[in-house]
């Protein structure tokens, strides 16, 4: 496990502990990551299917791309 993976895992564990303590609920971590260019992993659909609610993968990708464009616009202007 490299340093970045360890740090990310540590942060997730801390978040789980805080959520459990604050709301007294069971938690489950679902790794859903969309890259800044909108690319998704092969197992993305499998993980996202565990999240209740209505969504479209294209809309999630579009949101990630627009968010990246907004950050770049703020930085470059």
């Amino acid at each position: 496990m490299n340093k970045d993976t360890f740090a990310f895992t540590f942060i997730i564990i801390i978040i789980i502990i805080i959520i459990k303590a604050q709301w007294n609920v069971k938690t489950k971590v679902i790794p859903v990551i969309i890259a800044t260019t909108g690319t998704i992993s092969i197992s993305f659909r499998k993980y996202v299917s565990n999240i209740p609610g209505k969504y479209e993968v294209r809309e999630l990708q579009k949101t990630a791309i627009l968010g990246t464009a907004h950050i770049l616009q703020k930085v470059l202007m």
Side-chain angles (χ1 to χ4, degrees), residues 13-73:
I13 290 170
I14 296 298
I15 291 170
I16 290 170
I17 292 169
I18 291 170
I19 290 172
K20 282 182 178 182
Q22 194 168 18
W23 289 297
N24 196 24
V25 294
K26 291 183 179 180
T27 59
K28 182 178 180 181
V29 175
I30 302 173
V32 176
I33 299 170
I34 302 176
T36 56
T37 58
T39 56
I40 58 175
S41 66
I42 296 170
S43 57
F44 180 81
R45 284 174 172 54
K46 178 181 80 172
Y47 288 127
V48 173
S49 66
N50 293 323
I51 301 173
K54 189 175 179 181
Y55 60 87
E56 283 194 37
V57 175
R58 286 183 178 259
E59 287 296 317
L60 297 173
Q61 290 174 307
K62 181 180 174 182
T63 303
I65 294 169
L66 290 175
T68 302
H70 181 73
I71 292 168
L72 287 173
Q73 183 181 24

